[in-house]
Structure formats: C-alpha cells, structure tokens
C-alpha cells in the first residue's frame, strides 16, 4: 500500500529458476513496486516474499551480493570514469569477475576512460549491465531496462545478457511493458494489471491454450460463444472472440458439425502481443492461470 492506495493486491507469484522469465504489464500495473519489494528497497505492508530462499525483510550483505538490479533511469555517478566505477564496485562483490567485465566492455564497445555522465542513454545502460553482470549474480532483476533504446543497442545488450546468463545458469526476471522485447527473451511469463496477477505460466502453455476464433454463419446457436470468451465482437453474420482454455476451444470445434452449409469456423494461434491485448484489455479479468 501507499497510504490508502492498494498497489499489489493478493499477488501470489512464484518465478522459476532460469534466464528466461518475463513480467509483462501496462504502465501503472505496479511492476516497479514489485521489483523494489524483491530487492528490499521498499517494505512490505502485508504478506511475505522470499528471494533465493531468504525473506526480503532479512536480506543481508551476502544475500545482496547475489542479486543484480538494473532499472530504467538508474543513476550512475556522473563524475566517475567507467574504470573507476568498476574499481569501486569490485571489492564489494567476492565473485566479481574481472575477465567477464573486460569481455563485456569489449563486446559493448565501451571506453573505460569515459566519464559516466557523458554516456548516451544506450551506452549508460550497457555500462550498468556490465556492472550488474560482472559479479555473476544468481538473480538478475531488470525493470524496464530497454525503454527508448534503438534496435541495434537493444539487440547487442540482449545477446550479451542471454549468452552470459544462460552459460552460468542465472535466474533473470525482466519486467517490461514492451511486448516485443519480452517475447524474444522469455520462456515463462507473468501478466500484471492494476496490481493483480492475471496469468503465470510458460510461454508454451500460453500459446497452446489461447486461440482467436472467428465464426461466419447465417445463423449461430446460443452456445456458439463460450461463457469464458474474451473480447467478443459481432458484425452481421460474423462473430470473433478469444478462448483461454482448451475446453472452450473444444466447445467451438464441436460446433462445426451443427452449423449450416457454407458456415466457417477458424481457430488461430495468438502471438504474445495479441494475447496481452485480449487478456489485459478485458473488462473482467479471467481466472489466474498458474502452471508449474
């Protein structure tokens, strides 16, 4: 809560180990609040949370040394050169990897003698990522890290992140409202809307169960549209909607034999962008789907 305002409400979330985890949500869905709670930067007003097996209210220095954190607009000491900043951070992390820092500096084309305050937005994010990855954290939390970046810079950062995290078996949680960047990075997805968790499952499971349906027929039976359908749109002899369960998809398939001659039923897989719009844009949220 922020005073009388409820930010996160009955949020029950478990993020699996691995580099490919994404938390998607529109602006003001409280993604930043959640990330700051997990880092201990904000205090819980109710409930509990654990990170790497430790209650967030009891994180000590050793716990924090295992957590990396990058956020949009994160401030760096403008008066420091990059090499000075690395030298400042290295003693704070027993696992600081100088060889990895050098490798990332070369990969990102960073000039260690440049002052951090003179770096462009994309270059500053590269520097932040270098400093977050060099300690080889077990958990990397990223809050809207790519906002406003051009495609080439984003691609270079993403490839550097994926290569490093995957090779070491780190867990990464990327929070974003940018559907495209999440889709290319993650195997598991959570969806937040207005502080509520709307789904939590693997991308494979989401793609398997979510379908866009279009029925064109001169007459439609009463049960043509399942009760759990989302974003139902009717226009003349055409009705379109989304189904979110395999049972609803089967119900639609069973209609095909009872429709008049010439009728057409199409069921199509849905890309993540369309799934996000269908679920987040629905007036009534569907039941939370949590799949291990």
């Amino acid at each position: 809560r922020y005073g009388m305002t409820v930010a996160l409400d009955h949020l029950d979330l478990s993020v699996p180990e691995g580099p490919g985890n994404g938390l998607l949500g529109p602006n003001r869905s409280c993604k930043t609040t959640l990330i700051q709670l997990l880092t201990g930067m904000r205090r819980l007003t109710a409930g509990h949370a654990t990170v790497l097996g430790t209650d967030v209210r009891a994180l000590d220095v050793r716990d924090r040394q295992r957590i990396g954190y990058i956020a949009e607009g994160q401030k760096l000491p403008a008066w420091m050169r990059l090499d000075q900043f690395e030298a400042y951070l290295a003693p704070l992390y027993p696992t600081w990897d100088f060889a990895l820092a050098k490798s990332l500096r070369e990969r990102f084309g960073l000039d260690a003698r440049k002052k951090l305050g003179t770096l462009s937005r994309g270059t500053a994010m590269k520097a932040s990522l270098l400093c977050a990855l060099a300690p080889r954290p077990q958990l990397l939390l990223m809050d809207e890290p790519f906002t406003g970046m051009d495609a080439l810079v984003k691609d270079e950062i993403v490839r550097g992140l994926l290569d490093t995290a995957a090779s070491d078996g780190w867990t990464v949680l990327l929070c974003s409202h940018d559907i495209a960047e999440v889709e290319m990075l993650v195997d598991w997805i959570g969806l937040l809307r207005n502080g509520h968790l709307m789904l939590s499952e693997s991308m494979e499971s989401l793609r398997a169960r979510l379908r866009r349906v279009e029925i064109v027929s001169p007459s439609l039976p009463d049960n043509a549209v399942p009760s759990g359908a989302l974003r139902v749109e009717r226009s003349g002899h055409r009705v379109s909607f989304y189904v979110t369960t395999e049972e609803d998809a089967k119900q639609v398939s069973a209609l095909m034999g009872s429709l008049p001659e010439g009728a057409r039923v199409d069921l199509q897989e849905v890309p993540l962008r369309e799934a996000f719009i269908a679920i987040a844009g629905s007036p009534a949220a569907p039941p939370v789907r949590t799949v291990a």
Side-chain angles (χ1 to χ4, degrees):
R1 289 177 176 270
Y2 295 100
M4 297 299 293
T5 301
V6 177
L8 297 171
D9 190 13
H10 293 85
L11 179 68
D12 187 1
L13 175 68
S14 179
V15 178
E17 292 183 356
N21 302 297
L23 192 63
L24 192 63
N27 291 328
R28 295 180 171 273
S29 59
C30 299
K31 300 185 300 296
T32 294
T33 295
L34 175 59
I35 288 294
Q36 292 180 346
L37 287 173
L38 296 178
T39 59
M41 295 167 65
R42 290 194 182 275
R43 292 186 178 275
L44 292 163
T45 53
H48 68 278
T50 61
V51 172
L52 299 175
T54 301
D55 190 299
V56 294
R57 290 166 291 198
L59 293 173
D60 60 19
V61 171
R62 287 173 296 180
D63 296 317
R64 295 179 187 279
Q65 288 170 336
R66 299 189 294 158
I67 301 171
Y69 170 72
I70 303 175
E72 176 189 9
Q74 193 170 21
K75 292 184 178 180
L76 301 176
W79 58 274
M80 273 188 172
R81 300 193 310 264
L82 177 58
D83 57 358
Q84 293 174 324
F85 192 41
E86 290 181 46
Y88 165 74
L89 292 173
L92 303 177
Y93 295 93
T95 55
W96 185 275
D97 189 328
F98 291 92
L100 176 58
K102 181 176 183 293
S103 173
L104 290 171
R105 198 182 311 118
E106 293 172 352
R107 177 167 194 163
F108 292 156
L110 293 169
D111 185 347
R113 296 165 299 176
K114 281 280 189 75
K115 285 192 175 183
L116 298 173
T118 67
L119 302 181
S120 67
R121 183 191 187 101
T123 306
M125 185 54 69
K126 289 180 180 180
S128 294
L129 186 62
L130 181 158
C131 294
L133 296 181
R136 295 191 174 275
Q138 288 180 255
L139 173 65
L140 179 62
L141 300 170
M142 307 179 73
D143 183 15
E144 303 282 6
F146 307 131
T147 300
M149 282 190 190
D150 66 68
L152 289 177
V153 173
K154 185 186 299 186
D155 182 68
E156 184 61 39
I157 291 178
V158 166
R159 284 191 282 115
L161 169 64
L162 288 180
D163 290 349
T164 307
S167 64
D168 278 26
W170 303 344
T171 293
V172 178
L173 177 61
L174 168 65
C175 289
S176 178
H177 67 272
D178 188 323
I179 300 168
E181 73 187 23
V182 170
E183 190 163 20
M184 68 179 176
L185 279 171
V186 308
D187 304 309
W188 173 92
I189 187 76
L191 176 57
L192 273 181
R193 188 183 73 176
N194 298 328
H196 294 273
L197 183 67
M198 302 184 69
L199 64 84
S200 168
E201 63 185 295
S202 70
M203 288 290 293
E204 182 182 7
S205 170
L206 177 62
R207 290 192 178 105
R209 72 182 178 86
L210 192 62
R211 292 288 184 272
R212 183 180 186 276
V213 181
E214 182 176 271
I215 304 174
V216 180
S217 175
S219 62
L220 290 172
D222 294 337
N223 64 341
V225 180
S227 58
L230 303 178
R231 296 181 67 87
V232 180
E233 297 179 359
R234 299 178 184 270
S235 177
H237 298 303
R238 172 186 168 275
V239 61
S240 65
F241 52 89
Y242 295 84
V243 292
T244 61
T245 66
E246 295 176 11
E247 292 74 17
D248 285 348
K250 289 176 181 178
Q251 178 182 328
V252 172
S253 298
L255 280 175
M256 298 179 69
S258 61
L259 292 175
E261 185 177 352
R264 176 171 57 85
V265 179
D266 289 334
L267 279 84
Q268 302 174 350
E269 290 188 10
V270 179
L272 182 58
R273 178 180 179 81
E274 200 169 334
F276 173 77
I277 293 172
I279 296 173
S282 298
V288 172
R289 170 87 170 194
T290 303
V291 180

